[in-house]
Amino acid sequence: MGLLQLLKSQVLGHLIMCYVFLFSGLIINLLQFCLLPLWLLSKPLARRVNCGLAYCIASQMVAALEWWSGTECTLYTDPESYPLYGKENAIVLLNHSYEIDFLCGWTFCERFGVLGSSKVMAKKELAYVPVIGWMWYFLEIVFCKRHWEEDKVTVARSLQNLRDYPVNFWFLLFCEGTRFTQKKHEVSMQVAESKGLPKLKHHLLPRTKGFWLTVQNLRGTVAAVYDSTLNFRDKEAPTLRGILNGKKYHADLYVRRIPLELIPEDEAECAAWLHKLYQEKDSFQDQYLQTGRFPGPATSPPRRPWSLINWLFWSSLLLYPLGLVLSYLFSSGSLTTIVASLALCMAGSVGIGWMIGQTEINRSSSYGNNRAPSNK
Protein backbone atom coordinates (compact mmCIF):
# COMPACT_ATOMS: atom_id res chain seq x y z
CA MET A 1 0.00 0.00 0.00
CA GLY A 2 1.41 3.39 -1.04
CA LEU A 3 1.95 6.20 1.44
CA LEU A 4 -0.88 8.27 -0.06
CA GLN A 5 -3.32 5.37 0.03
CA LEU A 6 -2.34 4.65 3.62
CA LEU A 7 -2.97 8.30 4.53
CA LYS A 8 -6.40 8.16 2.89
CA SER A 9 -7.46 5.26 5.08
CA GLN A 10 -6.17 6.70 8.35
CA VAL A 11 -7.85 9.03 10.83
CA LEU A 12 -4.91 11.46 10.53
CA GLY A 13 -5.63 12.04 6.85
CA HIS A 14 -9.31 12.61 7.59
CA LEU A 15 -8.47 15.04 10.40
CA ILE A 16 -6.19 17.04 8.10
CA MET A 17 -8.86 17.33 5.40
CA CYS A 18 -11.59 18.31 7.85
CA TYR A 19 -9.31 20.77 9.67
CA VAL A 20 -8.44 22.53 6.41
CA PHE A 21 -12.09 22.57 5.28
CA LEU A 22 -13.45 23.86 8.59
CA PHE A 23 -10.93 26.62 9.26
CA SER A 24 -10.67 27.80 5.65
CA GLY A 25 -14.47 27.85 5.56
CA LEU A 26 -14.68 29.98 8.70
CA ILE A 27 -12.07 32.38 7.29
CA ILE A 28 -14.08 32.67 4.08
CA ASN A 29 -17.32 33.22 6.03
CA LEU A 30 -15.56 36.04 7.90
CA LEU A 31 -14.43 37.58 4.61
CA GLN A 32 -18.00 37.37 3.30
CA PHE A 33 -19.24 39.17 6.39
CA CYS A 34 -16.55 41.86 6.13
CA LEU A 35 -17.53 42.47 2.51
CA LEU A 36 -21.12 43.42 3.40
CA PRO A 37 -20.44 47.15 2.74
CA LEU A 38 -19.48 46.22 -0.83
CA TRP A 39 -23.13 45.33 -1.50
CA LEU A 40 -24.01 48.98 -0.99
CA LEU A 41 -21.29 50.19 -3.35
CA SER A 42 -21.67 47.64 -6.16
CA LYS A 43 -24.10 44.75 -5.98
CA PRO A 44 -22.78 43.05 -9.17
CA LEU A 45 -19.20 43.20 -7.87
CA ALA A 46 -20.26 41.86 -4.45
CA ARG A 47 -21.99 38.94 -6.15
CA ARG A 48 -18.94 38.13 -8.27
CA VAL A 49 -16.65 38.23 -5.23
CA ASN A 50 -19.01 35.97 -3.29
CA CYS A 51 -19.05 33.49 -6.18
CA GLY A 52 -15.26 33.29 -5.94
CA LEU A 53 -15.33 32.88 -2.16
CA ALA A 54 -18.05 30.22 -2.39
CA TYR A 55 -15.92 28.36 -4.91
CA CYS A 56 -13.09 28.21 -2.37
CA ILE A 57 -15.37 26.23 -0.04
CA ALA A 58 -17.43 24.06 -2.41
CA SER A 59 -14.47 23.09 -4.58
CA GLN A 60 -12.75 21.47 -1.60
CA MET A 61 -15.55 18.90 -1.48
CA VAL A 62 -15.34 18.43 -5.24
CA ALA A 63 -11.56 17.96 -4.91
CA ALA A 64 -12.20 15.21 -2.37
CA LEU A 65 -14.37 13.40 -4.93
CA GLU A 66 -12.25 14.03 -8.03
CA TRP A 67 -8.67 14.08 -6.74
CA TRP A 68 -8.68 12.37 -3.33
CA SER A 69 -10.90 9.39 -4.21
CA GLY A 70 -10.27 9.56 -7.96
CA THR A 71 -13.97 9.05 -8.75
CA GLU A 72 -14.65 9.22 -12.47
CA CYS A 73 -17.71 10.69 -14.18
CA THR A 74 -19.05 9.76 -17.60
CA LEU A 75 -21.60 12.09 -19.15
CA TYR A 76 -24.27 10.91 -21.58
CA THR A 77 -25.80 13.82 -23.46
CA ASP A 78 -26.77 15.24 -26.83
CA PRO A 79 -23.63 16.53 -28.64
CA GLU A 80 -25.61 19.59 -29.76
CA SER A 81 -26.41 20.50 -26.14
CA TYR A 82 -22.91 19.93 -24.79
CA PRO A 83 -21.41 23.26 -26.05
CA LEU A 84 -24.15 25.19 -24.22
CA TYR A 85 -23.34 23.80 -20.77
CA GLY A 86 -21.80 26.49 -18.61
CA LYS A 87 -22.69 29.23 -21.06
CA GLU A 88 -26.32 29.76 -20.04
CA ASN A 89 -28.46 29.86 -16.92
CA ALA A 90 -30.29 26.60 -16.26
CA ILE A 91 -32.41 24.63 -13.80
CA VAL A 92 -30.76 21.26 -13.13
CA LEU A 93 -33.09 18.45 -12.00
CA LEU A 94 -31.33 15.71 -10.02
CA ASN A 95 -32.59 12.42 -8.66
CA HIS A 96 -32.08 12.04 -4.92
CA SER A 97 -31.06 8.43 -4.34
CA TYR A 98 -27.46 8.46 -3.11
CA GLU A 99 -25.55 9.92 -0.19
CA ILE A 100 -23.28 11.86 -2.56
CA ASP A 101 -25.69 12.84 -5.33
CA PHE A 102 -25.41 16.50 -4.26
CA LEU A 103 -21.62 16.18 -4.58
CA CYS A 104 -21.96 14.71 -8.06
CA GLY A 105 -24.20 17.66 -8.94
CA TRP A 106 -21.47 20.02 -7.74
CA THR A 107 -18.91 18.09 -9.80
CA PHE A 108 -21.13 18.54 -12.87
CA CYS A 109 -21.13 22.29 -12.11
CA GLU A 110 -17.34 22.32 -11.64
CA ARG A 111 -16.61 20.60 -14.95
CA PHE A 112 -18.47 23.41 -16.75
CA GLY A 113 -17.22 26.33 -14.65
CA VAL A 114 -20.37 27.30 -12.71
CA LEU A 115 -19.65 25.76 -9.29
CA GLY A 116 -19.09 29.09 -7.52
CA SER A 117 -22.40 30.51 -8.74
CA SER A 118 -24.50 27.33 -8.43
CA LYS A 119 -27.72 27.65 -6.42
CA VAL A 120 -29.90 25.17 -4.56
CA MET A 121 -33.17 25.15 -2.66
CA ALA A 122 -32.46 24.18 0.95
CA LYS A 123 -34.13 23.98 4.34
CA LYS A 124 -34.21 27.30 6.20
CA GLU A 125 -32.38 25.74 9.17
CA LEU A 126 -29.24 25.28 7.06
CA ALA A 127 -28.78 29.06 6.83
CA TYR A 128 -27.55 28.99 10.44
CA VAL A 129 -24.94 26.25 9.90
CA PRO A 130 -21.33 27.58 9.77
CA VAL A 131 -19.27 27.22 6.59
CA ILE A 132 -21.76 25.71 4.09
CA GLY A 133 -24.91 27.36 5.43
CA TRP A 134 -23.32 30.78 5.87
CA MET A 135 -21.69 30.50 2.44
CA TRP A 136 -25.13 29.79 0.93
CA TYR A 137 -26.65 32.75 2.74
CA PHE A 138 -24.19 35.20 1.16
CA LEU A 139 -24.55 33.40 -2.17
CA GLU A 140 -28.30 34.16 -2.14
CA ILE A 141 -29.43 30.58 -2.39
CA VAL A 142 -33.14 29.90 -1.89
CA PHE A 143 -34.20 28.77 1.59
CA CYS A 144 -37.61 27.23 2.26
CA LYS A 145 -39.57 26.02 5.29
CA ARG A 146 -41.48 23.26 3.46
CA HIS A 147 -44.74 25.03 4.27
CA TRP A 148 -46.34 25.93 0.95
CA GLU A 149 -48.30 28.99 2.06
CA GLU A 150 -45.14 30.63 3.40
CA ASP A 151 -42.74 29.31 0.78
CA LYS A 152 -44.77 30.44 -2.23
CA VAL A 153 -44.10 34.04 -1.17
CA THR A 154 -40.55 33.89 0.24
CA VAL A 155 -39.22 31.45 -2.38
CA ALA A 156 -40.72 33.48 -5.22
CA ARG A 157 -39.06 36.61 -3.86
CA SER A 158 -35.67 34.87 -3.61
CA LEU A 159 -35.97 33.55 -7.16
CA GLN A 160 -36.92 36.98 -8.49
CA ASN A 161 -33.73 38.37 -6.94
CA LEU A 162 -31.72 36.17 -9.31
CA ARG A 163 -33.08 37.85 -12.43
CA ASP A 164 -30.21 40.33 -12.61
CA TYR A 165 -27.44 37.93 -11.52
CA PRO A 166 -24.21 39.05 -13.23
CA VAL A 167 -22.75 35.59 -14.02
CA ASN A 168 -24.16 32.35 -15.40
CA PHE A 169 -25.64 30.11 -12.72
CA TRP A 170 -27.25 26.68 -12.42
CA PHE A 171 -30.13 26.15 -10.01
CA LEU A 172 -29.92 22.58 -8.67
CA LEU A 173 -33.31 21.16 -7.73
CA PHE A 174 -34.30 17.84 -6.13
CA CYS A 175 -37.96 17.63 -7.12
CA GLU A 176 -38.51 14.52 -4.99
CA GLY A 177 -38.02 16.78 -1.99
CA THR A 178 -36.16 14.20 0.07
CA ARG A 179 -33.74 11.32 -0.39
CA PHE A 180 -35.10 8.01 -1.68
CA THR A 181 -35.63 5.25 0.89
CA GLN A 182 -37.76 2.14 0.63
CA LYS A 183 -40.21 3.41 3.25
CA LYS A 184 -40.61 6.78 1.55
CA HIS A 185 -41.06 5.03 -1.79
CA GLU A 186 -43.88 2.88 -0.41
CA VAL A 187 -45.66 5.96 0.96
CA SER A 188 -45.09 7.85 -2.30
CA MET A 189 -46.56 5.04 -4.38
CA GLN A 190 -49.63 4.93 -2.11
CA VAL A 191 -50.11 8.59 -2.97
CA ALA A 192 -49.65 7.79 -6.67
CA GLU A 193 -52.35 5.13 -6.47
CA SER A 194 -54.77 7.47 -4.68
CA LYS A 195 -54.12 10.20 -7.30
CA GLY A 196 -54.43 7.87 -10.28
CA LEU A 197 -50.79 8.48 -11.27
CA PRO A 198 -48.50 5.86 -12.81
CA LYS A 199 -46.20 4.29 -10.22
CA LEU A 200 -42.44 4.79 -10.31
CA LYS A 201 -39.86 2.12 -9.54
CA HIS A 202 -36.71 4.18 -9.01
CA HIS A 203 -37.99 7.58 -7.88
CA LEU A 204 -40.40 9.24 -5.49
CA LEU A 205 -43.24 11.29 -6.91
CA PRO A 206 -41.97 14.79 -7.72
CA ARG A 207 -43.23 17.77 -5.71
CA THR A 208 -44.78 19.71 -8.57
CA LYS A 209 -45.65 22.99 -6.84
CA GLY A 210 -42.02 23.82 -6.02
CA PHE A 211 -40.95 23.01 -9.57
CA TRP A 212 -43.71 25.15 -11.10
CA LEU A 213 -42.89 28.04 -8.77
CA THR A 214 -39.20 27.83 -9.72
CA VAL A 215 -39.86 27.69 -13.44
CA GLN A 216 -42.39 30.53 -13.40
CA ASN A 217 -40.13 32.89 -11.47
CA LEU A 218 -37.05 32.12 -13.55
CA ARG A 219 -38.70 32.44 -16.97
CA GLY A 220 -36.71 34.91 -18.99
CA THR A 221 -33.70 34.30 -16.74
CA VAL A 222 -32.85 30.65 -17.38
CA ALA A 223 -32.69 29.18 -20.86
CA ALA A 224 -33.38 25.51 -20.17
CA VAL A 225 -33.97 22.67 -17.76
CA TYR A 226 -31.21 20.05 -17.60
CA ASP A 227 -32.94 16.81 -16.68
CA SER A 228 -30.18 14.76 -15.02
CA THR A 229 -30.35 11.08 -14.06
CA LEU A 230 -27.48 9.63 -12.00
CA ASN A 231 -26.34 6.06 -11.46
CA PHE A 232 -23.16 4.23 -10.44
CA ARG A 233 -21.48 1.28 -12.08
CA ASP A 234 -21.49 -2.19 -10.55
CA LYS A 235 -24.63 -1.25 -8.57
CA GLU A 236 -22.46 0.52 -6.00
CA ALA A 237 -24.02 2.76 -3.36
CA PRO A 238 -21.28 5.38 -2.79
CA THR A 239 -20.96 7.11 0.56
CA LEU A 240 -19.20 10.19 1.87
CA ARG A 241 -17.29 7.92 4.23
CA GLY A 242 -16.07 5.93 1.23
CA ILE A 243 -14.94 9.14 -0.50
CA LEU A 244 -13.04 10.19 2.62
CA ASN A 245 -11.38 6.77 2.72
CA GLY A 246 -10.19 7.26 -0.86
CA LYS A 247 -12.55 4.72 -2.43
CA LYS A 248 -12.92 5.20 -6.17
CA TYR A 249 -16.37 5.10 -7.79
CA HIS A 250 -17.55 5.56 -11.37
CA ALA A 251 -20.60 7.77 -11.86
CA ASP A 252 -22.71 7.80 -15.01
CA LEU A 253 -24.84 10.89 -15.58
CA TYR A 254 -27.48 11.27 -18.28
CA VAL A 255 -28.42 14.88 -19.08
CA ARG A 256 -31.17 16.11 -21.40
CA ARG A 257 -31.43 19.81 -22.26
CA ILE A 258 -35.07 20.93 -22.41
CA PRO A 259 -35.67 24.54 -23.54
CA LEU A 260 -37.75 26.35 -20.92
CA GLU A 261 -40.34 27.45 -23.46
CA LEU A 262 -41.37 23.79 -23.88
CA ILE A 263 -42.54 23.63 -20.24
CA PRO A 264 -46.22 24.65 -19.78
CA GLU A 265 -46.95 27.83 -17.87
CA ASP A 266 -50.27 26.59 -16.48
CA GLU A 267 -49.73 24.98 -13.06
CA ALA A 268 -51.82 21.86 -13.72
CA GLU A 269 -50.26 21.30 -17.15
CA CYS A 270 -46.78 21.85 -15.66
CA ALA A 271 -47.52 19.24 -12.97
CA ALA A 272 -48.61 16.71 -15.60
CA TRP A 273 -45.47 17.49 -17.63
CA LEU A 274 -43.24 16.86 -14.60
CA HIS A 275 -44.95 13.55 -13.75
CA LYS A 276 -44.39 12.43 -17.36
CA LEU A 277 -40.73 13.48 -17.09
CA TYR A 278 -40.25 11.28 -14.02
CA GLN A 279 -41.85 8.34 -15.79
CA GLU A 280 -39.23 8.82 -18.51
CA LYS A 281 -36.47 9.08 -15.87
CA ASP A 282 -37.69 5.75 -14.51
CA SER A 283 -37.37 4.19 -17.97
CA PHE A 284 -33.81 5.54 -18.29
CA GLN A 285 -32.91 3.83 -15.01
CA ASP A 286 -34.46 0.59 -16.30
CA GLN A 287 -32.34 0.84 -19.44
CA TYR A 288 -29.22 1.48 -17.35
CA LEU A 289 -29.86 -1.56 -15.16
CA GLN A 290 -30.36 -3.73 -18.24
CA THR A 291 -27.51 -2.44 -20.43
CA GLY A 292 -25.10 -0.66 -18.07
CA ARG A 293 -25.40 2.62 -19.95
CA PHE A 294 -27.74 5.52 -20.60
CA PRO A 295 -29.01 6.60 -24.06
CA GLY A 296 -26.81 8.58 -26.38
CA PRO A 297 -23.05 9.06 -26.82
CA ALA A 298 -20.75 9.08 -23.79
CA THR A 299 -18.09 11.65 -22.99
CA SER A 300 -15.89 12.50 -20.02
CA PRO A 301 -15.71 16.26 -19.38
CA PRO A 302 -12.12 17.00 -18.33
CA ARG A 303 -11.29 17.67 -14.71
CA ARG A 304 -10.22 21.25 -14.10
CA PRO A 305 -7.15 21.74 -11.86
CA TRP A 306 -8.59 24.66 -9.88
CA SER A 307 -10.27 22.61 -7.15
CA LEU A 308 -7.00 20.83 -6.40
CA ILE A 309 -4.99 24.07 -6.53
CA ASN A 310 -7.46 25.71 -4.15
CA TRP A 311 -7.18 22.83 -1.66
CA LEU A 312 -3.37 22.86 -1.83
CA PHE A 313 -3.36 26.62 -1.20
CA TRP A 314 -5.50 26.39 1.92
CA SER A 315 -3.60 23.34 3.15
CA SER A 316 -0.28 25.17 2.82
CA LEU A 317 -1.71 28.21 4.56
CA LEU A 318 -3.26 26.37 7.51
CA LEU A 319 -1.12 23.30 8.12
CA TYR A 320 2.10 25.24 8.77
CA PRO A 321 0.80 27.12 11.86
CA LEU A 322 -0.87 23.91 13.06
CA GLY A 323 2.46 22.12 12.80
CA LEU A 324 4.17 24.85 14.80
CA VAL A 325 1.55 24.64 17.56
CA LEU A 326 1.72 20.84 17.77
CA SER A 327 5.51 20.91 17.74
CA TYR A 328 5.53 23.37 20.62
CA LEU A 329 3.01 21.37 22.62
CA PHE A 330 4.85 18.07 22.31
CA SER A 331 8.29 19.61 22.82
CA SER A 332 7.11 21.20 26.05
CA GLY A 333 7.29 17.77 27.67
CA SER A 334 4.15 18.39 29.72
CA LEU A 335 2.21 15.16 30.11
CA THR A 336 -1.00 17.12 30.67
CA THR A 337 -0.53 19.04 27.43
CA ILE A 338 0.23 15.88 25.44
CA VAL A 339 -2.80 14.04 26.86
CA ALA A 340 -5.02 17.06 26.16
CA SER A 341 -3.75 17.22 22.57
CA LEU A 342 -4.42 13.52 22.03
CA ALA A 343 -7.87 13.89 23.58
CA LEU A 344 -8.58 16.79 21.22
CA CYS A 345 -7.56 14.66 18.22
CA MET A 346 -9.80 11.82 19.41
CA ALA A 347 -12.69 14.24 19.89
CA GLY A 348 -12.07 15.53 16.37
CA SER A 349 -12.17 11.98 15.05
CA VAL A 350 -15.47 11.29 16.81
CA GLY A 351 -16.85 14.58 15.50
CA ILE A 352 -15.90 13.69 11.95
CA GLY A 353 -17.59 10.32 12.31
CA TRP A 354 -20.75 11.98 13.60
CA MET A 355 -20.88 14.54 10.77
CA ILE A 356 -20.37 11.86 8.13
CA GLY A 357 -23.02 9.74 9.79
CA GLN A 358 -25.58 12.51 9.26
CA THR A 359 -25.23 12.07 5.48
CA GLU A 360 -26.03 8.36 5.56
CA ILE A 361 -29.30 7.33 3.95
CA ASN A 362 -30.61 5.68 7.10
CA ARG A 363 -30.17 9.03 8.88
CA SER A 364 -31.97 11.04 6.22
CA SER A 365 -34.86 13.41 6.89
CA SER A 366 -38.20 11.92 7.92
CA TYR A 367 -39.81 14.24 5.37
CA GLY A 368 -41.82 12.01 3.05
CA ASN A 369 -42.25 9.12 5.50
CA ASN A 370 -45.87 10.05 6.12
CA ARG A 371 -48.57 10.08 3.52
CA ALA A 372 -48.89 13.55 2.01
CA PRO A 373 -50.22 15.16 -1.16
CA SER A 374 -48.00 14.53 -4.15
CA ASN A 375 -48.06 18.12 -5.36
CA LYS A 376 -46.07 19.63 -2.50
Side-chain angles (χ1 to χ4, degrees), residues 245-266:
N245 286 331
K247 182 174 174 56
K248 182 177 181 178
Y249 301 103
H250 196 132
D252 286 319
L253 183 67
Y254 177 50
V255 179
R256 294 186 294 169
R257 182 185 182 276
I258 304 170
L260 205 71
E261 57 266 24
L262 298 182
I263 302 175
E265 294 192 33
D266 178 77

Side-chain angles (χ1 to χ4, degrees), residues 32-336:
Q32 290 178 306
F33 179 79
C34 292
L35 287 171
L36 281 175
L38 183 60
W39 288 86
L40 300 176
L41 298 175
S42 175
K43 184 177 178 180
L45 178 58
R47 283 172 152 176
R48 290 178 183 274
V49 171
N50 270 285
C51 286
L53 293 173
Y55 181 85
C56 290
I57 295 176
S59 67
Q60 290 188 51
M61 299 186 69
V62 171
L65 182 76
E66 291 189 326
W67 299 95
W68 182 261
S69 81
T71 292
E72 297 181 11
C73 180
T74 297
L75 177 65
Y76 294 81
T77 194
D78 177 7
E80 294 183 2
S81 299
Y82 186 92
L84 297 174
Y85 297 154
K87 296 180 175 60
E88 61 183 2
N89 296 336
I91 299 169
V92 181
L93 300 186
L94 296 162
N95 51 321
H96 208 0
S97 303
Y98 301 99
E99 291 181 15
I100 65 166
D101 43 22
F102 77 96
L103 192 49
C104 291
W106 275 4
T107 301
F108 183 33
C109 293
E110 163 61 12
R111 296 288 176 100
F112 292 96
V114 292
L115 176 59
S117 59
S118 65
K119 314 295 180 187
V120 296
M121 188 178 294
K123 295 183 295 183
K124 180 67 176 179
E125 294 81 3
L126 291 176
Y128 307 105
V129 177
V131 185
I132 293 291
W134 294 350
M135 172 194 79
W136 277 347
Y137 176 81
F138 287 107
L139 200 57
E140 301 171 89
I141 78 133
V142 179
F143 292 104
C144 64
K145 294 183 177 180
R146 289 177 170 172
H147 297 294
W148 173 246
E149 292 304 318
E150 294 182 62
D151 288 340
K152 68 180 181 181
V153 176
T154 57
V155 169
R157 187 184 305 120
S158 296
L159 291 168
Q160 289 285 335
N161 286 339
L162 300 178
R163 285 187 169 273
D164 60 347
Y165 213 73
V167 296
N168 290 331
F169 67 88
W170 289 357
F171 191 90
L172 277 58
L173 192 61
F174 294 100
C175 284
E176 293 164 277
T178 185
R179 187 179 290 147
F180 184 102
T181 67
Q182 194 56 46
K183 181 179 180 180
K184 292 175 184 177
H185 182 253
E186 291 172 2
V187 172
S188 184
M189 293 309 98
Q190 290 173 10
V191 173
E193 186 174 3
S194 69
K195 297 287 184 180
L197 297 169
K199 293 186 177 181
L200 304 172
K201 291 190 290 184
H202 310 291
H203 301 84
L204 307 178
L205 285 180
R207 308 275 171 160
T208 60
K209 283 186 179 292
F211 175 74
W212 173 78
L213 186 68
T214 301
V215 169
Q216 288 302 100
N217 283 280
L218 291 180
R219 285 190 186 275
T221 303
V222 304
V225 164
Y226 297 166
D227 173 39
S228 309
T229 305
L230 176 70
N231 217 319
F232 288 85
R233 295 188 186 178
D234 303 320
K235 298 183 178 180
E236 287 192 299
T239 64
L240 191 57
R241 192 182 300 275
I243 295 297
L244 203 56
N245 286 331
K247 182 174 174 56
K248 182 177 181 178
Y249 301 103
H250 196 132
D252 286 319
L253 183 67
Y254 177 50
V255 179
R256 294 186 294 169
R257 182 185 182 276
I258 304 170
L260 205 71
E261 57 266 24
L262 298 182
I263 302 175
E265 294 192 33
D266 178 77
E267 184 177 352
E269 292 179 5
C270 183
W273 181 90
L274 186 62
H275 282 301
K276 183 175 183 295
L277 184 81
Y278 268 75
Q279 293 162 32
E280 293 172 353
K281 289 170 75 70
D282 233 36
S283 68
F284 296 147
Q285 290 286 29
D286 277 335
Q287 178 177 337
Y288 186 89
L289 293 174
Q290 293 169 8
T291 66
R293 59 176 291 121
F294 285 117
T299 183
S300 294
R303 288 187 300 180
R304 305 191 324 152
W306 310 117
S307 62
L308 178 60
I309 292 172
N310 175 71
W311 188 83
L312 290 174
F313 166 77
W314 286 107
S315 298
S316 302
L317 185 67
L318 294 171
L319 289 178
Y320 178 70
L322 176 65
L324 291 178
V325 171
L326 291 178
S327 175
Y328 170 78
L329 291 176
F330 281 95
S331 64
S332 67
S334 170
L335 180 61
T336 302

